[in-house]
Amino acid sequence: MLEITDLVHSYGSHRVLDGVSIRAAEGELVCVVGPSGCGKSTLLRSVAGLIRPTGGRVLIDGQPVERIPDNLAVVFQDYSRSLYPWMTAANNVALPLRRRGLDRRRRRDAAMAALDQVGLADAAEKYPWEMSGGMQQRVSIARALAYRPSLLLMDEPFGSVDAQTREDLEDLVLRVCAHHGMTTLLITHDIDESVYVGDRVIVLTRSPARVAADLPVDLGESRDQIATRQLDAFVRLRAEVGRLVRGGSPTPTVLEKH
Amino acid sequence: MNVIRAVGRLWLVPVTLVAWEIATRAAGQPFFPPPSATLARMGEMWLSGPPAHLLLTEQAMSDFGPSLARLFAGWALAAVLGVAAGVAIGCSPRLSGYLDPLIHLGRAVPPPLLVPFFLALLKLGTPAQLATIVFGIIWPILLNTIDGARTVDRQHLETARIFGFSTAQRLTRVIVPAAMPKIFAGLRLALSLALILLIVAEIFAGSGGLGYRLLSAQRTYLYADMWGCLVVLGLLGYLLNSAFLLLERRVLAWHRSARQTT
């Protein structure tokens, strides 16, 4: 579904991405984790078509990304700058749906349904500044859901909320991505989160970024904030990802390089 | 509570009036009539008409009507032109590269100096007056809109790109609303400038209206009439500004609240 091949990007003479290749199958939730400043956001922006990479290829459903694809949505880290403060939650969610050729009433219905899915049916008429950070990020997720993309990109989506909200949002993303069968690329610097949320974890090296490891997460479909994190498999995998992020070399027993 | 505070702030007004009354009576100069005489003359000139016309006299109609019409027409015209051009220039670095020097040159010309130019170019009366007002007040609107459109948050624009907004959607739903706080600041400045330029234009390029009344009263030694015009212009400016602030508070409610919470 998503094929990133040998992606290279440089800002001037400063190389950020150094031949990154990632594949994601239909409906898969792939977490990309790496040390801060390693080029994760550049990777996401290249996939979204916001910047043109210096080299390499990105294919979505076999189509090369040249301009911004119309079957892709992004949830940014900074919800307060991503939602439009002059519009209510419902209007923020409904606005992109014009592109889907829906009339006003259907846009409204779709927005309400998406808000309902993220548990904000009551907050449809609220403005972003009347909501907490977690609620705003939910609206942002609802906007992406209502848009019905085949690929969802998330750039540190839980980076700016408190721990409790973060866990709620992680479970929300797991639920809605599974429900819609959306292919999702989630970028994070949080090792724990990448293992908890992902079907697969891709670890990037320090800048310039290369893929250090591609680890399958064998924790089953349903996850639980307490029980999953206590599983041996979770603890081992988390330790392995942590080692790799710090620049360590892969442990043969855990690593299955694809 | 609010009433008490308002009274507390306003006490200086009657005190000033009384002091002025005493001073002008003591001086006995014809150039400085006492406020009571000015007020009486104002009532006579403008508010002694039939009740069916809300007491407004014919003269009030011919003084205020054309002046207010010119003021609002000029302001609205400048707003439309300034916002449209400002958004275009603010969104296009190339256009702003070409036009920035011209804009700063145009802004630096004192607008009253252009009255003779507009008089030569256009007809005496409303066309030349409107041109003077529009040319004089468009700059704060234009510059603020350019600034507002140029400094839209990058992520707001990227969100619009990701979700494939049409050009019209990007302009009306993202760029103009984001620039609105700055546009409103420009509009408010322009409104107070419009009043000044209205009077300038009416003094130099017209017949009828408050500016013309002011000039002819001064020339015919009707000093209470002249002072009446000055007072009413001050009141007009104050009222316009207050009305505009009310409007701004409604339209930009999101902006004030968003700034308070973040």
Side-chain angles (χ1 to χ4, degrees):
Chain A
M1 195 276 153
L2 172 67
E3 284 177 62
I4 305 169
T5 315
D6 280 332
L7 200 66
V8 175
H9 192 73
S10 308
Y11 295 107
S13 63
H14 177 57
R15 180 163 280 206
V16 188
L17 299 178
D18 191 20
V20 173
S21 299
I22 296 173
R23 260 150 227 277
E26 189 81 46
E28 208 175 13
L29 203 167
V30 177
C31 286
V32 177
V33 61
S36 18
C38 79
K40 297 189 294 282
S41 288
T42 305
L43 172 67
L44 180 128
R45 295 166 68 78
S46 310
V47 176
L50 285 169
I51 52 173
R52 188 177 277 271
T54 319
R57 258 198 336 176
V58 178
L59 295 180
I60 296 179
D61 279 334
Q63 295 290 315
V65 171
E66 271 155 10
R67 304 176 52 196
I68 294 169
D70 66 354
N71 54 354
L72 170 147
V74 179
V75 174
F76 291 101
Q77 170 178 7
D78 196 350
Y79 45 81
S80 65
R81 289 167 54 218
S82 170
L83 296 176
Y84 298 118
W86 47 87
M87 288 183 201
T88 61
N91 285 338
N92 264 294
V93 176
L95 184 60
L97 302 180
R98 291 207 178 188
R99 196 188 198 185
R100 297 283 182 247
L102 302 178
D103 61 31
R104 180 187 277 272
R105 239 201 57 209
R106 291 184 108 189
R107 289 201 298 268
R108 173 92 197 162
D109 291 346
M112 294 307 290
L115 283 170
D116 190 37
Q117 277 195 327
V118 299
L120 285 180
D122 296 338
E125 298 313 316
K126 285 199 169 156
Y127 286 87
W129 38 268
E130 294 176 300
M131 301 185 204
S132 67
M135 285 167 82
Q136 291 183 47
Q137 195 58 301
R138 277 165 194 266
V139 175
S140 200
I141 293 169
R143 176 170 64 186
L145 288 180
Y147 193 64
R148 306 228 169 247
S150 30
L151 178 64
L152 175 63
L153 301 178
M154 305 182 105
D155 187 6
E156 306 255 1
F158 321 125
S160 311
V161 295
D162 61 81
Q164 174 68 49
T165 310
R166 182 185 191 105
E167 294 185 352
D168 292 346
L169 287 175
E170 285 169 4
D171 288 333
L172 173 75
V173 165
L174 277 173
R175 200 178 71 230
V176 295
C177 287
H179 182 257
H180 289 276
M182 251 182 317
T183 312
T184 306
L185 193 66
L186 189 150
I187 283 177
T188 177
H189 65 266
D190 187 312
I191 294 155
D192 205 88
E193 178 174 287
S194 69
V195 176
Y196 180 74
V197 176
D199 293 324
R200 257 167 59 218
V201 177
I202 310 267
V203 185
L204 295 183
T205 60
R206 211 167 279 286
S207 180
R210 254 174 268 120
V211 174
D214 182 343
L215 309 166
V217 179
D218 298 318
L219 295 172
E221 283 289 298
S222 72
R223 310 215 174 154
D224 179 87
Q225 288 288 353
I226 310 293
T228 303
R229 286 175 205 267
Q230 284 176 328
L231 293 175
D232 280 348
F234 181 89
V235 175
R236 240 182 300 135
L237 202 50
R238 183 178 57 189
E240 175 69 7
V241 174
R243 201 160 30 241
L244 288 163
V245 167
R246 285 175 185 79
S249 49
T251 316
T253 48
V254 188
L255 181 75
E256 295 165 346
K257 186 117 191 172
H258 296 271
Chain B
M1 203 54 213
N2 276 337
V3 178
I4 297 173
R5 223 181 297 152
V7 170
R9 265 183 300 174
L10 287 176
W11 64 270
L12 202 55
V13 177
V15 169
T16 311
L17 279 176
V18 169
W20 192 0
E21 180 83 28
I22 294 170
T24 45
R25 273 171 196 267
Q29 281 254 10
F31 307 110
F32 298 99
S36 56
T38 304
L39 277 177
R41 183 68 194 121
M42 285 168 72
E44 210 176 305
M45 277 196 294
W46 295 315
L47 280 179
S48 56
H53 290 156
L54 295 167
L55 298 180
L56 290 171
T57 57
E58 297 258 316
Q59 190 183 336
M61 300 294 202
S62 69
D63 285 348
F64 292 112
S67 288
L68 287 176
R70 277 173 208 134
L71 178 80
F72 285 119
W75 187 55
L77 204 59
V80 170
L81 294 176
V83 171
V87 169
I89 296 168
C91 290
S92 157
R94 251 191 42 206
L95 207 55
S96 77
Y98 286 129
L99 293 180
D100 266 357
L102 281 178
I103 291 169
H104 287 284
L105 187 72
R107 187 180 66 132
V109 176
L113 292 186
L114 287 164
V115 175
F117 169 71
F118 288 128
L119 276 179
L121 199 68
L122 300 160
K123 271 202 277 190
L124 186 72
T126 305
Q129 288 168 336
L130 272 185
T132 308
I133 296 174
V134 170
F135 187 88
I137 71 174
I138 199 170
W139 308 108
I141 305 176
L142 184 66
L143 290 171
N144 273 21
T145 309
I146 292 175
D147 188 39
R150 200 179 276 164
T151 54
V152 177
D153 195 298
R154 194 180 72 159
Q155 202 164 306
H156 283 337
L157 293 175
E158 282 185 350
T159 303
R161 282 175 66 197
I162 290 284
F163 290 113
F165 289 6
S166 64
T167 309
Q169 261 181 323
R170 226 184 42 203
L171 284 176
T172 60
R173 301 308 180 93
V174 182
I175 294 174
V176 171
M180 216 34 125
K182 285 185 177 153
I183 293 178
F184 262 71
L187 284 175
R188 199 168 122 208
L189 204 58
L191 188 59
S192 57
L193 278 178
L195 191 64
I196 300 172
L197 284 164
L198 169 77
I199 302 308
V200 170
E202 284 181 344
I203 285 179
F204 287 113
S207 54
L210 276 171
Y212 182 75
R213 166 77 52 199
L214 180 71
L215 186 72
S216 59
Q218 185 249 327
R219 282 188 177 154
T220 48
Y221 310 107
L222 298 169
Y223 290 108
D225 290 32
M226 187 192 83
W227 278 95
C229 288
L230 291 178
V231 171
V232 92
L233 283 170
L235 285 176
L236 198 58
Y238 182 79
L239 283 178
L240 288 174
N241 193 50
S242 307
F244 187 82
L245 279 180
L246 274 181
L247 178 74
E248 180 176 294
R249 213 164 285 179
R250 283 188 69 96
V251 175
L252 293 183
W254 65 265
H255 180 63
R256 293 193 334 142
S257 318
R259 256 198 327 200
Q260 274 163 14
T261 48
T262 50

